[in-house]
Structure formats: structure tokens, C-alpha cells
Amino acid sequence: MTINTTPPELPKVTTGALPASRKVWKAGTLHPEIRVPMREIALHPSAGEPDVRVYDSSGPYTDPEAAIDTAAGLPRHREAWIAARGDTETYLGRATRPEDNGRDEASGKLRPFPRAHAPRRATGDRAVTQLAYARAGIVTPEMEFVAIRENMGRDAALARPRDGESFGAAIPDHVTPEFVREEIARGRAIIPANVNHPELEPMIIGRNFLVKINANIGNSAVTSSMDEEVEKMVWATRWGADTVMDLSTGRDIHDIRDWILRNSPVPIGTVPLYQALEKVGGIAEDLTWEVFRDTLIEQAEQGVDYFTIHAGLRLHHVPLTIDRVTGIVSRGGSIMAKWCLHHHRESFLYEHFEEICEICRRYDVSFSLGDGLRPGSIADANDAAQFAELETLGELTQIAWKHDCQVMIEGPGHVAMHKIKENMDKQLACCDEAPFYTLGPLTTDIAPGYDHITSGIGAAMIGWFGCAMLCYVTPKEHLGLPDRDDVKTGVITYKIAAHAADLAKGHPGAQVRDDALSRARFEFRWEDQFNLALDPDTARSMHDETLPKEAHKTAHFCSMCGPKFCSMRISHDIRSEAQKEGMAKMAEKFREGGALYLPETEA
Amino acid sequence: MTINTTPPELPKVTTGALPASRKVWKAGTLHPEIRVPMREIALHPSAGEPDVRVYDSSGPYTDPEAAIDTAAGLPRHREAWIAARGDTETYLGRATRPEDNGRDEASGKLRPFPRAHAPRRATGDRAVTQLAYARAGIVTPEMEFVAIRENMGRDAALARPRDGESFGAAIPDHVTPEFVREEIARGRAIIPANVNHPELEPMIIGRNFLVKINANIGNSAVTSSMDEEVEKMVWATRWGADTVMDLSTGRDIHDIRDWILRNSPVPIGTVPLYQALEKVGGIAEDLTWEVFRDTLIEQAEQGVDYFTIHAGLRLHHVPLTIDRVTGIVSRGGSIMAKWCLHHHRESFLYEHFEEICEICRRYDVSFSLGDGLRPGSIADANDAAQFAELETLGELTQIAWKHDCQVMIEGPGHVAMHKIKENMDKQLACCDEAPFYTLGPLTTDIAPGYDHITSGIGAAMIGWFGCAMLCYVTPKEHLGLPDRDDVKTGVITYKIAAHAADLAKGHPGAQVRDDALSRARFEFRWEDQFNLALDPDTARSMHDETLPKEAHKTAHFCSMCGPKFCSMRISHDIRSEAQKEGMAKMAEKFREGGALYLPETEA
């Protein structure tokens, strides 16, 4: 792992392959031009089993062959796919204004992304969304791309015996492009892919696919910079973030977003309300539909792939929050609630929702309908305010679908374990199986500093129950802005939650990696065990703390039990003993001899 | 938090109160001589609510008034209670031999605990177990102690509305000494309390009480020392470990155990087989009932509170493990399997189980019936070997109860989420509700270095389903021997899991701390938020990384969102606005005006 050297004033990002890993690509069949990346982890020859292919969200940064230049951005490989559809036009986009970066007038401090690209939009009032294509029976390159990606290079013929409880999900043994099309047409899955984010490697979010995770980055008025945020994005995808939300709220957020988008291989989500608020000097009451609409177009032209829109929070919901322990904890939710109350008016997001759809369909920006009234504490979980808003989100889902817009629904928050499934079941019912996208949920409030864990528990469970994407929580939640290390801890914790959910749902490909790692563990192939881990660097360094020597990488024990007490080593002795005499036969012979206490089951 | 200064050659342990905390005691009613410790967390006066009392497992080490001298050991406060029962005698115990410390002959390296105590045992063949007393209708001081302790100082009259799903548990609003007696008599709970561990502050393990956690410590042949292990014990209890298992397998383990026991305020568990194996030079085949029996008496005289005994692993079970991915991963299980196979004989632990009971009942050593065949990988979960052993453990439970011995049952291991509940349900059925004590379970195998998290997920779930005690897993699991930092991380993670389980079960006292912390969070009482956290030090330091100033401890924002975007601050504005005009009325007025899209529910 090396830090590549772009000129000092440009963002430095982490590049290089993961240990024992190489990037491999699989071409499309319907669309031979697509190249779907996967990571292949090489095992020791003694393993006598094939190398393990895993899902790879890290983009070109982990490809040693790729030339990374953050000032140039990533290759715009989707541009040809989009142009070939012949339903979009490039045009002279909206000019950037100082206030887009939270400034009064143009200032030397700004650092725009060096290359400008003319934005693209649908011609006329066409919908250029994956949903529109799916409904029209078209299998796009994006659809075939995610189909290949979801199979992680598994042989279509190789269907494992299914083991799991999926609570009504319908995960196929093998994902076909046609299956992807059907799920998108049904509204049960989305491919967030703005026509202005051609650098994107498409991914899919839906309960019948691998559970995905999102990493939040972004500066705040108090701390951080563009350079840090671009590296956080690259760092998050290196460890497995499937999408990244840029929640910047400080200055220069237009430019920071440009830098992130041009260098991001994963979909980027935002909460446009944050920038709109900056444009009106941070005064919620001064927000207007016009300022918000302008911000949507600004961000759609930049290439944001999904917008969090808190249109489900209505004026008459606000009183429901008055007796809560922690009130409204969604930033967007609290801003809109304040606006509604001040003006004694219905939310302009709700009133103008159809116009928002008309914008999103022209760029294929997906909706992430925000849960402005999510509970911020165990005490407030599953209350009237939360579920009233969820019902409105169900109503808005139908409207978005009417406009051929892709939709997912945001969920809580803080929820004790026994109340988690109700959230999932109610969301599926209210929103007609549109993908659910939850933050955690945190299963207790008493561990600030460890909320990646309090929430990882809830995230694994709701992922099992059917949640399509899990928004990570870092150790800094409630305490401060996460740094690079917090981002990694959050991502790894959520990869664990998502994978535990895939296993429990019975995803046909999930257990392959567990089994390969367990065999490596049982056979003392330490290097293979490290390399197959979600975080090979940490696994290796923890082992080497006590047993640093190279010889220990093949030792039949570790410092936890030492040589004499290694149960796995003894298990090998047992197996070799078993060879001598047929073990089953020998055990049977003994049983005839009779034991002292025969259990009822044997009596 | 300070490191106290005992002479350099003696173990240094962490002492001092936790932030804003003082130790308070509640006296008994039936037994006025008992003093039950609790930790009281002081809140800022502006909170306008009572200080919060929490369960305190840390013993005298967190009492600034207590004089700590590890060479003297803790006060032997239970001695009087035990003597008063008049059913035990002190006697000249077994003499320590060099081989007890894994040595060929006495060696200067040994460092015995300075003070010898004559061991105590039942007179004649009496049972001096809490189970025997409970069945005889006697409420012991230990029973009243845990009753007071479980209520955490809550007012008996103050019964909260119940909220939770307990899956058939029967958690009372208020725990009475009589309820404790009944649960113990029923075999549904245990108080591990050897008559030779009078320093102990009694605690109870059962599904109708607070979920407990165990921390494993102990050196291995490869690393660590007595000093480190004593501090690990104190450190683990400081952060909330309810019991500690000394799994030492290296040299000097008799002496290390002595030092730990004499200084431990919590029950100490061991796996006697480990020391027995050391006595026969680490050759499993050379183990004999006589060596094992001698080790049981040695450790019972020292004061070990519970023994892990792998008597459920029978010869005819071994063949069931042959096709496993990871074979036998229990150290004790693999040793016994090898012994059985080598001698083609039934396990001597199984054949001599009644004699083991006769030893345990004379000292009140509780059984922790070991799961020698627990799965070591997702692939092996819930297989024939695991469940065959569990049925045998149910049979042994009945035998132990026949001898008035207290029993809990050990459980897995590595289990995907959808297979966890089957483990709990089967254990309750096979073992007639004897307390279940599980390791994790780990919900995936792919994250070595993060197995506190992969297992914390499973631990929270099985705790919810009815598991009485959760054995922690540290980040070093599978990689090396945990150090002091790993111990803390493991303990905090498992306190989270246990508490999340208590909340989900609807424990009447559990949510008090969550609510107090959430109110502190909403009211920007940062110090209260830190002090109420499971780990105040980490919460404070994470906050201070970006906002170190004292002024920020009352600031109405943190660096995560900055002042303009703090949803909680905005919520306060909303509430004050709401005062002006009756909010509900105003919202109602608006609704008459009609919204654009009326949801079905409103149409």
C-alpha cells in the first residue's frame, strides 16, 4: 500500500493492491465493452483449492497498472454507454457562483476541479433512468454490469445447497441481467447512476442482492479539508464502501463535491438541503423552493447519483415530536421542521415533490427519501412521528415511480433489538418493497465511542430482515467528525454486518469466503487466513505482535494457546489416529460395551 | 485513574473511581451485615434529575477509601457468613507440589501468594451449595446480596411499564431474596461462590436476571506473566466483567491462580483439565482420573468458583467431527477426544462424573459443563456432533442437580444469525432451563482482528433469546493472546451486547441509563454524556480530539455537524417556537387547508 505522489497541492490518495490480491475483469455478453472488476485473493499452493474471488468496490486505485491522477479524475468509461442510448444532450450548464461554495464573492481560496465537463441531460422531458429502461424491457450495460458483479465470478452451474432464512426475499442462485431488469422495473432495486457521473462502476441496491454499505464523509464548518475528504472517499472504497455520501456542510462544498465525484468509482449521495441552507446564510426560515431547485440542478449537473430528500416530513408531523426524549435528530428533518413551523406552511419539498421528480428523471438521480423523524434514542423508537413519516414516504414512492424515478427509503436510527423487525416489515408494506437504507440502527444509547458496535448489531439484524443498504456509523458518532481511521473502522464493522446478513439470508455466494478462511485456519495457512480477512493488515499485525518470525507463519499454533494446547493441531492428530482404525466402527464397538449413564435418547 | 504503588515485585493494579462516580452501599434486611456495592454517577445540577446508580462489578479497587495491597489480598468478608452456617470445617489442605506449577522440582522462580489460608470444606458428605440451601428454603446472605444488587438501587414501588420480548423468561419488576432462592432451587440460576473464595462479592447467573459477561485471562506457554494477569483481572472487572476465567496454560499456574483468587471480587472459573495436562507433561494420553481428581481438589481448596468440565464429549461423538471444516476447536474437547480415541475408552470425565459432583458439593464449586464439540466455523454450526453433546450435557445436568450441585451449560461458538435461536431453544429444552453461557457466537469467519464485533452481534442476539452469560471475545481471537487493551475492548463490547439484550428482553431497570444519557445528549450536558457512557475516558477523548476547550463541554454542537447544522439545537428552537402557539392546534388548522397528496390513510 503506497501513497501516490500527485503534485503537493493535489489530494493524495491511497493506492496499491491489497495483500495477495490482483484485480481481474469479466467482460459482458450482451455488452462486450463492459469490464466488471473483481478482486482475486491468491491462496498458498498447498491449499489445493482455487483462488477466492471477492466483490471489489475500490475502483482503479487498487490496480497497480492504473495511472492515478486526481487532477484528471478517473476514466469516464460510461460516457460511451450513455451517448449510445441517444436520448441525452450536452448543454451549457449552470455557472458556478461564489455562494455555491458558501462565500460572498469569488475568492482565491477556491480550488475548482481543473477540468470542466459540459453537463448532460435528457433531451426534451424524457426519463433517462434505469427504471425507465427496465420498464421498457431494455437491459442496459449498467444492468449487465451489476449482474456479473453480484455473482462474484461464480459458475452459473455451481448452485450451492441453500441454507438461510430470507424472510420473503427471492435471492436467485445466479443473477442474470434479465433478473436485474425485472427487479428494477418492479421498483425492488435501484442502480444509482447519474448520467453526469460516467466514472462510476455500477452497483445495485435491493433486498434480493448482496447487502450493501454506505460510508458518510464530508467536512463540517469546524474541521477537515478537501484533500482529506477525497482521501476518505478512496480509503472508504478500498475497505468496501459500496456508496459514499458527501455530507459536507462547511465552505467550498461545491468544489469538494466536484473533486470527490470526478475521482469516485462508487455512487455519491448528498443531502442538497445542506448546500441550500449555506446559500441562505444558514437561516432555515430563509430557504425557498427556488434556492433548493437551483441546488438540485447544480448537483445533478455535477453528477450526484442520489439525493436525500426529506419530503416525508410534513407540518402536521412536527407536533408528534414534542414529547420525544431527543426531538428531531435528522439534520435535514430539523431544518424542514423549523421552516414549516416558522411559515406555518406545508414543507416545500412535499409540495414541489413532482417537480423534484421531473429534475431527477432527466439526469437519473435516484431518490433516497429521508427519514427526518427517525428516533435519536431508544426511548423514541417506533413512535407515532416516525411511522407517520414512513407512511408519507410510501406515498411519495408511488409518485416517484410514476415519474420513472428510482427510489430507496431511509430508516432509523436508534432502535432496541426487539423493535427492529417491525421497522423492516412496516417499510416493506408502506413502500411496496422499495429498497430500505438504514443508519444502524443503534441498539443502545449508553456507549458513545463505540457506536459502530452498538449499531453494527442492529445493522446486521435489519440486513438479515431485508434491509438493502446499511449506512455505517463510526466510533466518533455523537462525539465528532470521523477521521481516516474512524472511516476504516466504520467500514469494516459494516462489512461484517452486511456479510453476516448475507449468510443468514442464505445468499448462495456468501459462505464461500468463510469456508476458505476457516480451512486456511484449520490448516495453519496463516498468510491465507490474513489475506482472506476483511482487514489483512490488522489481522497480520495482531498475530505478529507476539509471534513476529516468518517461521510462525506456518507454525501449528499461535500465542493464544501455545503449541501444547492448540485444539486444531490436536484435531489433526485425531484424524490421523482415525485413519488407523475405522473410527465409526471402533466407536460403535465401544458403545455396545455400554456407558454408565445412557441418555434417554439411547435407552 | 491511578496505578497504586505496591512494592515493585508485587502486581500493580489499576485503582481509583470512574469519572464523577462514587461507590455507595446498600445494607441487607434479612442479613444486615451485608453491604451491596453500587456505582452512583453524579449528574450536573442543571439536569434536575437524580444521580444514576449502575451495577458495579469492580470491587474495592474503585473505592478511593479502600487500601489496596495485592500481597494481602481483598477482605475476606464472606468468611463470617460461611462460618455462621456451621456446616463446614477448615482442614490441613493438600500441599503444593512443584508439578502444580509445571516444574520438575521446587524452583526459585516460584512466587507463592504470601499468605496461606487453611482450606474449608463441608463437614462429612454435606452439600454446602447455594442450591442445597435454596432447596432447604434457606435464603443465604449471598442470595439477599444478589437480590439487592440486581435491583441497582431501584425503588421497589417504581415499576416501569414493561416493553420487550423475553421469549418466555420471567423477569420480575423487582427482585426479592425469595425470588432468587426460588430460581436457584429450580436450577434456573446459579451463584458461583466457593467457600474458599470469601473475598467474592456474590453475583447471579440466570435468564431472569441481568445478562452477565465473562472475561477470559490467563497466560500461555508463549507469553505473559503473573503481574499482567492480576492486572488484567482487575482491569476487566473495572469495565464490567461479572466473572473472570483464568485459562492459564503455561508455568506457575497454581501460583498465578492464587494471586488472582485472593485479589478477585468476582467469581473465578477455570478449566482444570489444562493444569492436569501440564502435570502429565502435556501428553493427553497420559491423563488419568487420579491426576484430574487431584487437580480438582487442589483448585477447589484455592477457591475456584466454577469448573469447566468437558464431560459431555463421549467416545462415540468423536467420529461425528471427522467431516467438519474445523474439527474440534475446544481445547478441553480436543484433549479429551484424543484421550478417548487413544485408549478406545469412554471419557473418564463422563465415567467419574458423580465423583466430580461429590467434590464440587463439598466446596460449592459450580459446574460450567463444557461444549467440547462447539462449532469452530460457520460451516460446522448446529451439526450432529454439537447437538449430540448438548443432549449429553442435559443428562449430566440432572445428575449434578441430584447431588445439589449448581450448573450452567457452555455454548458456541461460530453460528450464522439464522441458526442462533435454535441453539438457545435446544439448550433450554435439553438442560431444563439451566443457565446458558455462550462464547459469542461469531456470526461470520471472515474478520479476524474484529472478532469482538463478529461475536458481539451474535452475543447480543443470544442474550436476548435467553442466554444468561456471554463469554467475551477480544480482537485478538484466533491471532494471539489478548493484552490489557484487548481485554478492555472485549469487555466494553460485551457490556454493549448484554445491555442491548436486557433492553430487548424488557428488563425493568435497563433503559434508565439509556434515557439519562439521551437526555444529557439532547441538553448538551457533554460531561454527563461522557460520565454515563460505558467508557467515559474514550468518549471524552474522542470529543476533545476536535473540540478540546472547556467551553466546548457546554457548547450546543460538536464537530460532527458544527453549530449551524446541529439538529438537536434546532429541535430546541422548534420547541420554543411551539410554546408561542399551541403546536397541535396550529398543525390541525393547516391540515384543514389540505395537502397536495393525501395519503390513503388520511383520505
Side-chain angles (χ1 to χ4, degrees), chain A residues 79-101:
Chain A
E79 234 162 21
W81 314 353
I82 295 161
R85 295 199 265 262
D87 53 5
T88 54
E89 62 189 9
T90 56
Y91 67 106
L92 184 64
R94 174 188 174 285
T96 308
R97 312 192 192 104
E99 60 263 36
D100 300 344
N101 285 300

Side-chain angles (χ1 to χ4, degrees), chain A residues 430-483:
Chain A
C430 290
C431 304
D432 197 8
E433 295 190 72
F436 204 21
Y437 167 35
T438 63
L439 178 77
L442 286 70
T443 55
T444 168
D445 302 331
I446 68 170
Y450 298 81
D451 279 329
H452 58 303
I453 297 175
T454 65
S455 68
I457 294 165
M461 290 173 72
I462 203 160
W464 176 25
F465 299 151
C467 188
M469 185 157 76
L470 310 171
C471 181
Y472 86 173
V473 172
T474 78
K476 287 270 177 64
E477 185 77 11
H478 301 118
L479 299 169
L481 195 73
D483 61 22

